[in-house]
DNA sequence: CTGAAAGCGCTTACAG
DNA sequence: CTGAAAGCGCTTACAG
């Protein structure tokens, strides 16, 4: 069907090697006149090089794979994944790497490791993997370069993360300064580093400020909006209501805001709320959401750069911690007098 | 380096074909006892099938490529692209297709067609391509299956689009009902179907309602937030200010909102505004943005399904028009009396 | 039933 | 300088 080097070589009665060298512009020299004739006929015949064949024979694919968060069932839907992806892609443009999304991903299948280690990619980016991921273990054993972004692994691979403790401190300090003394926390998935670290940081910082801590003020979530919605009931029903709530990510805060709107519960009057990640939606919700900014696009960018460095045989830093910053918006006000 | 079928066959003193058939479970039968022994040793030796080799010999890659909007310089950043991608990916999960993002994309390069037609993918999804895209022409000539989403092409390939006229009518009708008689429009890129169709629909619907049209009320944009910002100055400076502005997409409306906030111009009191696309940010901005909803994720899903059908030899519909709906929020109020 | 071999379309070390 | 051939690691039609 498709035109091959062989077809061209036959047409011109020369060898495939010469055609190959001519079309690739090297490394073996080809007389200019002949080279032009080859390029010309290749064009006439509608020749298009087969990349798979090239990849197979050279062993280079110029492709990196992106592996979705194992926690999220619907893959690429969240802004977390998307912003990181967009950062990664912008580097790909420069470094000339294409990105393969393993969308045929199926958590249920134990042979998934086979799929991502089947030779199509030169390296992998894991977005927010779990610490105990069996996938990671298989990949680490395979020797294929990889980095993780948004979470640290137990393997000696570059991790691009944010400073959770700093971020939480900024949030708690802000609330404390305004006079909040009853601060609650809706946690993330506690199997993840981010979920656990943020919870611990909240507890440590509350203690640092000498603020009270109650069991009812910790609501266990898992990074999904749904748990934010569920939290509304919880915090309304407990005896001692908090005046401020710190969410482990924005998505849960959005769920909370939405549910409050549905039930006509005033925000920020009833609860001051703070999110984490500062995804695009924060600036645009009502009330706009004060949030700890984690520079996701920059992190995706750094992840891709680290991966390219690894592939290139360099040794990038194993830990790339990005600073957080508190973005203040309308969702936080001083506690109402009562 | 890596273990191959050949290595296994040597170890067991049998032929590669037998090993291949055993590991693939067919099509040629292999005695159960032998098959188990082969699987066993393959496992022991850490065999991992090389997908590139398989792709090359079978001619199937089980991969589809996604080509970014040519209008947008920074590729995967916009929510438009991202929501469509997420819809497409969710189908990939079911149909077992992986998604290749051509992130090494470079508009400047004329040989880009070579890159996307190099045998790595079985089909292509074009996100909002321009009508006159030279890329499309090359792809259409190549015979590789493709679909476009968010725009129609001149080629007989499935187009997954929304009903621009319906959407604009919904928006204009809504404004007219509230009493607006001075309605402006910030256009999209007029080289695109969406940009042009929406402009024409606005003009037609204004006429239908017998509303005045002024040259100053058409501000030429190109789908980027920046033009929304620029529009603020324009509409403040012209003699006859409109009372409502219809933006060709949300991004420009966001830019407008942001600039108004910066300059302390009250919304929606000063201008009622309507966006188009209803991306996630609309529900969360202040004032929350009334917008024409284009079901992007569903469209991405339909695009992927149509593409899979094409690849499978079926003939999906050439035009898949999704209905729009006006999502009413806070950014539209009746015109102020004056 | 099983093995030897050709083929997928490139790249490149090896002869001449 | 250029051609013939081996090789990348699979799949599969062809012999035996």
């Amino acid at each position: 069907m498709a035109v091959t080097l062989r077809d061209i070589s036959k047409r011109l009665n020369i060898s495939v090697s010469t055609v190959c060298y001519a079309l690739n512009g090297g490394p073996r020299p080809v007389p200019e006149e002949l080279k032009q004739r080859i390029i010309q006929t290749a064009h006439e015949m509608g020749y298009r090089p087969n990349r798979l064949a090239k990849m197979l024979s050279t062993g280079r694919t110029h492709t990196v794979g992106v592996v979705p968060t194992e926690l999220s069932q619907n893959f690429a839907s969240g802004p977390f994944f998307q912003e990181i992806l967009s950062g990664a892609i912008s580097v790909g443009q420069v470094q000339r790497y294409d990105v393969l999304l393993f969308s045929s991903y199926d958590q249920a299948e134990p042979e998934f490791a086979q799929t991502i280690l089947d030779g199509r990619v030169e390296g992998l980016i894991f977005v927010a993997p779990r610490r105990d991921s069996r996938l990671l273990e298989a990949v680490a054993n395979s020797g294929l370069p990889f980095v993780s972004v948004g979470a640290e692994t137990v393997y000696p691979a570059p991790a691009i993360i944010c400073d959770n403790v700093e971020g939480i401190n900024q949030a708690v300090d802000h609330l404390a300064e305004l006079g909040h003394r009853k601060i609650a926390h809706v946690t993330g998935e506690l199997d993840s580093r981010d979920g656990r670290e943020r919870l611990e940081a909240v507890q440590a910082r509350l203690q640092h400020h000498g603020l009270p801590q109650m069991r009812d003020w910790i609501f266990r979530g898992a990074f999904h909006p749904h748990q934010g919605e569920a939290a509304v009931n919880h915090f309304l029903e407990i005896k001692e209501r908090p005046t401020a709530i710190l969410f482990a990510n924005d998505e849960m805060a959005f769920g909370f805001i939405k549910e409050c709107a549905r039930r006509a519960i005033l925000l920020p009057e009833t609860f001051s709320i703070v999110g984490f990640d500062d995804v695009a939606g924060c600036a645009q919700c009502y009330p706009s959401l004060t949030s700890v900014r984690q520079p996701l696009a920059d992190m995706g960018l750094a992840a891709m750069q680290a991966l390219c460095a690894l592939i290139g045989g360099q040794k990038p830093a194993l830990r790339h911690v990005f600073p957080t910053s508190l973005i203040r918006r309308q969702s936080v006000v001083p506690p109402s007098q009562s």
Side-chain angles (χ1 to χ4, degrees), chain A:
Chain A
M1 192 68 236
V3 180
T4 70
L5 289 186
R6 187 130 201 292
D7 296 327
I8 301 173
S9 73
K10 273 164 135 178
R11 171 80 74 95
L12 292 174
N13 262 71
I14 54 181
S15 74
V16 285
S17 33
T18 302
V19 177
C20 183
Y21 291 125
L23 258 27
N24 287 338
R28 180 200 282 184
V30 177
E32 194 55 30
E33 198 266 344
L34 175 59
K35 182 194 272 187
Q36 289 311 324
R37 207 147 52 89
I38 292 173
I39 292 176
Q40 171 69 14
T41 38
H43 188 75
E44 283 171 15
M45 297 175 73
Y47 172 72
R48 280 196 308 268
N50 182 316
R51 189 75 176 277
L52 293 176
K54 177 166 197 159
M55 287 172 169
L56 184 60
S57 63
T58 62
R60 299 224 47 183
T61 64
H62 267 278
T63 309
V64 305
V66 172
V67 182
T69 312
E70 287 174 271
L71 294 170
S72 125
Q73 57 285 66
N74 54 344
F75 194 30
S77 54
F80 189 88
F81 182 83
Q82 297 193 352
E83 285 193 36
I84 287 177
L85 183 64
S86 105
I89 286 173
S90 66
V91 176
Q93 220 153 336
V94 176
Q95 304 261 23
R96 318 241 66 197
Y97 270 89
D98 287 315
V99 171
L100 183 64
L101 293 176
F102 293 102
S103 55
S104 60
Y105 180 60
D106 189 346
Q107 279 198 244
E109 257 176 77
E111 322 96 56
F112 184 56
Q114 300 275 325
T115 302
I116 64 176
L117 294 172
D118 61 12
R120 288 180 289 175
V121 300
E122 297 185 9
L124 291 164
I125 294 179
F126 283 87
V127 176
R130 315 168 51 136
R131 281 190 87 71
D132 62 346
S133 170
R134 310 182 60 224
L135 217 56
L136 269 173
E137 189 187 337
V139 172
N141 287 335
S142 79
L144 192 73
F146 72 95
V147 303
S148 70
V149 51
E152 230 167 344
T153 73
V154 297
Y155 306 97
I160 285 75
I161 53 185
C162 80
D163 192 335
N164 282 322
V165 175
E166 179 196 23
I168 291 294
N169 288 354
Q170 290 165 339
V172 174
D173 293 357
H174 178 52
L175 293 171
E177 269 168 35
L178 288 177
H180 286 278
R181 293 188 51 80
K182 302 176 185 171
I183 301 177
H185 178 49
V186 175
T187 78
E189 167 67 61
L190 295 183
D191 283 350
S192 75
R193 164 181 166 275
D194 281 339
R196 180 149 291 285
E197 256 186 38
R198 289 172 196 175
L199 169 60
E200 287 166 2
V202 168
Q203 294 172 325
R205 200 59 172 185
L206 288 177
Q207 188 165 9
H208 171 267
H209 282 286
L211 294 176
Q213 302 195 34
M214 290 187 54
R215 168 177 297 232
D216 278 348
W217 293 349
I218 302 293
F219 183 84
R220 180 154 181 175
F223 292 132
H224 293 300
H226 171 255
Q227 292 119 26
E229 291 177 34
V232 175
N233 251 336
H234 173 78
F235 288 121
L236 286 177
E237 287 176 359
I238 59 181
K239 304 129 259 178
E240 187 108 35
R241 276 195 205 172
T243 59
I245 308 172
L246 215 159
F247 291 82
N249 76 345
D250 293 332
E251 301 296 292
M252 294 193 295
F254 291 153
F256 189 89
I257 290 174
K258 190 174 151 197
E259 179 66 7
C260 282
R262 200 182 65 78
R263 296 169 55 169
I265 295 163
L266 287 182
L267 293 180
E269 293 81 357
T270 315
F271 302 106
S272 279
I273 63 182
V274 181
F276 203 113
D277 286 348
D278 190 44
V279 297
C282 291
Q284 300 156 354
C285 66
Y286 184 78
S288 62
L289 183 63
T290 290
S291 184
V292 177
R293 174 159 166 70
Q294 191 179 169
L296 295 175
D298 290 344
M299 289 164 71
L301 203 135
M304 187 73 163
Q305 275 169 338
L307 184 57
C308 289
L310 265 185
I311 293 171
Q314 301 170 48
K315 297 279 165 220
L318 282 188
R319 213 155 180 277
H320 205 326
V321 181
F322 278 74
T324 59
S325 49
L326 185 72
I327 308 297
R328 302 175 189 202
R329 298 200 181 82
Q330 307 165 332
S331 66
V332 173
V333 292
S336 53
Q337 318 296 4
S338 57

